[in-house]
Amino acid sequence: MQLNTLKSSTKRNVPEPVGRGGKRGKTSGRGGKGQTARAGHKIRPEVRDLIKKLPKRRGHGKNRARTVRSERINYAVVNLATLETAYAAGETVSPASLLAKGLVRREKGRAPKVKILGTGELSKKLVIRGCVLSDSARKALGVTDSHNV
């Protein structure tokens, strides 16, 4: 074995140079203009202190209603008119049966929480299990309890 015959078992990993034209284009990965685009930049302490004084608003994403109210339950909604056309008399309406008939979509790989709305008429007797009823649906069906009818 001689020194000129030795080979490295690992490839030499050299980071690609940034900011010299080439593939990166325009700002070459340095962001926008100004102080932060310059080589050897530091944010001046007085600017840093101003940034620290700005209030942090945590959990406020693009859509505040979706990001802040995380405990809210998102129901898949089904109207009474849809149940009238999809089910025969005496059948059981449940999230699983609605999923099997293609009236609701899977949510995180399982049957979603379902809310039945009172739009339309229901002439058949149906057994409703595991669904939440809206006030108008409860009046149309003549039910007092909204959960697990």
Side-chain angles (χ1 to χ4, degrees):
M1 181 188 291
Q2 298 196 346
L3 285 176
N4 65 333
T5 60
L6 292 176
K7 282 189 177 174
S8 175
S9 59
T10 57
K11 192 175 174 228
R12 206 162 149 253
N13 190 11
V14 181
E16 191 180 326
V18 176
R20 291 165 189 80
K23 290 181 195 169
R24 296 288 173 99
K26 199 168 177 277
T27 49
S28 298
R30 288 183 176 274
K33 304 175 190 173
Q35 187 181 7
T36 55
R38 307 291 180 254
H41 80 277
K42 281 187 203 154
I43 294 179
R44 296 198 320 272
E46 54 271 27
V47 175
R48 196 183 318 121
D49 290 342
L50 283 172
I51 291 168
K52 280 184 177 176
K53 283 175 183 165
L54 292 172
K56 285 191 177 75
R57 304 188 68 197
R58 290 172 183 238
H60 293 248
K62 284 183 182 174
N63 185 341
R64 186 177 184 280
R66 210 175 282 151
T67 54
V68 176
R69 294 178 60 201
S70 59
E71 72 282 349
R72 181 179 59 176
I73 300 167
N74 289 326
Y75 290 105
V77 293
V78 180
N79 288 316
L80 287 177
T82 313
L83 298 180
E84 177 72 31
T85 56
Y87 285 90
E91 279 190 291
T92 303
V93 178
S94 67
S97 70
L98 287 163
L99 189 65
K101 288 184 184 276
L103 299 175
V104 292
R105 279 191 180 158
R106 284 184 187 280
E107 196 173 284
K108 294 179 185 171
R110 59 177 76 106
K113 293 190 184 324
V114 176
K115 186 167 193 171
I116 297 172
L117 306 180
T119 309
E121 292 289 318
L122 189 64
S123 60
K124 308 165 188 168
K125 281 274 188 185
L126 297 174
V127 180
I128 299 171
R129 289 219 170 87
C131 300
V132 179
L133 298 173
S134 69
D135 289 339
S136 56
R138 233 178 295 141
K139 283 177 188 164
L141 297 173
V143 178
T144 54
D145 183 29
S146 67
H147 289 275
N148 297 328
V149 179

